[in-house]
Amino acid sequence: MSALDRIKIAFQYILPKHFISRVVGKLAAARLGWLTQLFIKLFIRNFSVNMSEAANSNPKSFQTFNAFFTRELKEGARPVHAAEGELVHPVDGTVSQAGDIKKGLLIQAKGHKYTVQDLLGGEHELVNYFNDGDFATIYLAPRDYHRIHMPCNATLKEMIYVPGNLFSVNPLTARNVPNLFARNERVIAIFESEKGPFAMVLVGATIVGSIETTWAGTVSPPRGQKVRRWQYPTEGKNTIQFQQGDEMGRFKLGSTVIMLFGDDQVDFNDSVKAGKVTRMGEVMGAWD
């Protein structure tokens, strides 16, 4: 690791990350007129954002940075072409790590592993179910589309908010901060599918203004001190059901999504390997 990278990692530990995230979140939600427009313009240029895909491609029309960052795509920009039994990528991003969960351990990066139990915020009935399953970690860069969609048809079963730190989740930090995804703030959504339960973990990070879901709205902030859990009915008229490709959440400023499946539940294709670019709606594998 270079001297500059060591300095970057050291700053991750000493910066007041929650304070910075609160300030940036308020600025991103504020209507600052020409200042907002200037920042959006610079952001598009610096991160090579493809505005031609946006439903509203005029940067000047966004009154807040958050509105720009969570922009909707044009109809048909991310078609879902999955055959029966196939799953699709939930987000635009890049696969950080993916593969087997071995005895409850997931790979964060070379030399770093963490546990399913820690990721889920402690004891949970599904820890043993996922302990020998499969996972996929997808990193959303600043230039990416930041809405999160469903990989398959499913019914919401539970949501868990886990308080934590707000380290950056970029590749450099993932390689050098132990237990990163299990120590950062996160929102866990557990769904019931035709092949059993699976989880989608939305991981917070430095300057992430908020994590939202389509059924609960803004889950964070406010940032709590305790793990919170919400149970949802899986039968009857009050169920919350999703079709493949439906939006389930969004980040206001970027982060990471981790998907957990049970043993022999899914068979990933070659698009689910470290370093592969993902596009929401493209096939990621099939039920096993």
Side-chain angles (χ1 to χ4, degrees):
M1 184 166 57
S2 69
L4 179 59
D5 286 346
R6 289 190 179 91
I7 292 171
K8 290 179 180 178
I9 295 301
F11 269 112
Q12 287 285 313
Y13 284 94
I14 63 177
L15 286 174
K17 294 179 284 297
H18 282 88
F19 173 75
I20 292 171
S21 298
R22 286 196 300 270
V23 171
V24 172
K26 289 182 178 180
L27 291 174
R31 299 188 179 192
L32 301 176
W34 67 269
L35 191 58
T36 294
Q37 301 304 317
L38 176 62
F39 191 62
I40 290 173
K41 182 178 179 180
L42 292 174
F43 189 94
I44 291 171
R45 180 187 301 168
N46 290 341
F47 292 105
S48 300
V49 177
N50 183 4
M51 292 300 293
S52 68
E53 296 182 322
N56 182 356
S57 59
N58 180 8
K60 295 181 180 179
S61 64
F62 297 103
Q63 296 187 339
T64 69
F65 183 81
N66 278 341
F68 155 73
F69 196 81
T70 59
R71 62 196 174 277
E72 185 180 7
L73 297 184
K74 289 178 181 177
E75 185 174 353
R78 294 291 183 274
V80 175
H81 292 314
E84 185 176 354
E86 290 183 329
L87 293 84
V88 299
H89 284 292
V91 293
D92 287 8
T94 302
V95 178
S96 173
Q97 294 290 335
D100 297 335
I101 302 171
K102 297 181 179 180
K103 297 182 179 180
L105 292 175
L106 300 85
I107 298 173
Q108 175 181 302
K110 186 177 180 179
H112 293 293
K113 295 182 180 180
Y114 60 105
T115 70
V116 170
Q117 181 169 311
D118 286 345
L119 182 64
L120 294 182
E123 292 290 340
H124 192 279
E125 62 179 5
L126 290 178
V127 167
N128 289 335
Y129 179 81
F130 292 130
N131 266 348
D132 294 297
D134 295 277
F135 79 100
T137 302
I138 304 176
Y139 167 66
L140 286 72
R143 66 178 177 275
D144 288 323
Y145 168 64
H146 277 79
R147 298 191 184 196
I148 308 155
H149 295 257
M150 292 297 296
C152 60
N153 298 346
T155 301
L156 179 66
K157 186 176 182 179
E158 184 178 4
M159 181 173 72
I160 307 168
Y161 166 79
V162 183
N165 217 313
L166 290 175
F167 284 93
S168 169
V169 292
N170 63 31
L172 175 65
T173 312
R175 291 192 301 268
N176 292 283
V177 175
N179 222 34
L180 174 65
F181 301 126
R183 68 197 299 174
N184 267 17
E185 176 186 68
R186 54 208 178 275
V187 173
I188 303 155
I190 295 174
F191 299 94
E192 188 68 37
S193 74
E194 62 177 284
K195 296 294 184 178
F198 69 94
M200 297 179 68
V201 184
L202 315 184
V203 184
T206 310
I207 74 170
V208 172
S210 71
I211 301 174
E212 299 181 6
T213 65
T214 56
W215 60 88
T218 300
V219 182
S220 173
R223 295 184 160 94
Q225 300 297 319
K226 298 180 180 179
V227 174
R228 291 180 285 159
R229 302 175 187 270
W230 295 261
Q231 302 285 339
Y232 301 93
T234 55
E235 296 180 353
K237 64 179 181 179
N238 293 322
T239 59
I240 302 174
Q241 297 179 323
F242 294 88
Q243 298 298 306
Q244 187 175 59
D246 285 351
E247 182 184 344
M248 61 79 63
R250 63 184 67 174
F251 292 115
K252 290 182 177 175
L253 299 180
S255 196
T256 288
V257 174
I258 303 172
M259 304 184 67
L260 302 178
F261 297 95
D263 187 23
D264 294 329
Q265 190 179 14
V266 297
D267 183 15
F268 292 140
N269 63 23
D270 287 342
S271 69
V272 190
K273 291 182 178 179
K276 290 283 189 178
V277 172
T278 68
R279 286 292 176 266
M280 179 266 148
E282 294 182 351
V283 174
M284 67 180 294
W287 296 122
D288 204 344

